[in-house]
Amino acid sequence: MTAPRRAAKEASRSVAKEAPRQAKDAPRAAWFVAWLARPLASFHLVVAIAILLTLLGLVMVLSASSVESYADGKSAYSLFMLQVAMAAFGAVLFYIALRIPMRVMRRLSFPVFALSVLLLVLVLIPGIGTKVQGSQRWFDLGVVSVQPSEIAKVTLVVWGSHLLASRQTEKAGYKDLLMPLVPAGLLVCFLVVLEPNLSTTIALGIVLTSLLWFGGLPLRMFVTIAVSGGVAAGVLALSAGYRSDRMRAFFSPGSDPQGIGYQARQAKYSLADGGIWGRGLGQSRAKWSYLPNAHNDFIFAIIGEELGFLGCALVLGLFALFVYAGLRIATRSADPFIRLLTGSATTWITGQAFINVGYVVGLLPVTGLQLPLVSAGGSSLAITLLMFGIIANAARHEPEAVAALQAGQDGRFSRLLRLPVPEMYSPARAQAARARKKPKPKPKPKAGVKAAPQRRALPPSGRGRGGGDAAARRSVDSDTARRTSRSTESWRSTRAWEPSYPTKHDRDRGHSR
């Protein structure tokens, strides 16, 4: 047999072997595509990602913190149990965020944001805020410590989305989009810098920039924002001793390998020690006091050492899937508030994860930003779960999801949690609500012209037909008919836009009783 015939025969055999595999993989891919086409797929994706990342974080916190906790004379499970308690509290916040209606969230956005700013001021006062390792950023509540800067992230996202959504519907200019969001955001960043806390300041900068990006700010203005942000970050990085040491260690990692560059170097050794498959869960050697803050800032290095490249790929894949789910919710939602909220929150959480992984692998300077839902930190875990709950709530407000929920296709998970059925967003109803809130200016009478006297209400009379009473009745009936006609026209326009919009009163449906 000649060589070409032999090659053709082997190729036909390989094709025959690959055909059954492709036939088996095709139904799986088709099933996944069909599952993504379901109305509540985004909601289930967000919930599943939050659960998987939280469980993975609890396991890795137990593995990374047990040795140092035992060495400090405590129980090996002390930090793990605190993380479990904060995860349970975060789950409660997640459930509360699922049940809050969007209109209530928008109504309370500014008062809660103002409260978070007040907390940022109070934490700087000696005797109220707790100072740990040179930073005064915590409220010591006895059992746990709370960082108000973590709360400020969520409140800035929600209030900023509400403000920009209102300005977009009013077709405001660029100056109205910047005011008062940018001054308020800069005030929050300034208060966090005073703690000092550069890592959270970077996260707040990501939140503010993403709000302006999804709010429709022109691209040329982001050049100015990028230059200003870069200059400010450089000044802040060189203004304090420990921050300038981190920058020096990043640009010259071999200058002080046993000093300021020790932590970043040990993180790379941990990742290299894990290889492809990892050393096994709980088998890390860096956590035996070789890698400082292994359970917090550098937990991704412990994941790479114990679970290998596959474990790191799993974490990155979950965050990539979260990006897809968040942007999918933003593009499918009809409410501009939900679009801004989900887009900005997704950018913030993903950007924070990217920065954490970046400085662990050596691509960025060490900033101290935690890996969301994975790193140890009670306040960060609970607040991030709250944000995931808000995003999951937004996923249930997609038009297809609302139609399915109103038709009774809520699924087992929604029935188990007894979640309320969301309302369909209506631009006409939103515009009418804004018109009702605006005060109507009273027309001023012209100079030299007397105002027309107001008509007095006719007293009720029991007389029969004819005369003044009949004319009054005809005028009242004609006014009622005009009001009914106008309400019917507005009802028809609203129902033509979205026929499945639920109404609570008969008068909203155009019926008069």
Side-chain angles (χ1 to χ4, degrees), residues 35-81:
W35 183 83
L36 286 178
R38 293 182 177 181
L40 294 174
S42 302
F43 170 71
H44 293 144
L45 272 178
V46 174
V47 174
I49 292 169
I51 293 174
L52 290 176
L53 285 176
T54 303
L55 292 178
L56 176 64
L58 291 175
V59 172
M60 297 311 302
V61 166
L62 174 61
S63 175
S65 65
S66 57
V67 174
E68 291 190 359
S69 297
Y70 184 77
D72 293 338
K74 304 177 183 177
S75 171
Y77 300 95
S78 59
L79 187 58
F80 169 72
M81 294 306 297

Side-chain angles (χ1 to χ4, degrees), residues 490-512:
S490 62
W491 171 80
R492 288 174 179 171
S493 63
T494 304
R495 299 292 288 185
W497 184 84
E498 184 54 61
S500 61
Y501 173 70
T503 54
K504 299 180 180 179
H505 306 287
D506 290 328
R507 57 182 176 84
D508 293 333
R509 299 190 180 96
H511 302 293
S512 58

Side-chain angles (χ1 to χ4, degrees), residues 342-366:
T342 53
S344 302
T346 303
T347 306
W348 154 41
I349 295 175
T350 310
Q352 184 170 329
F354 172 77
I355 293 175
N356 178 272
V357 174
Y359 70 70
V360 169
V361 301
L363 295 177
L364 296 173
V366 178

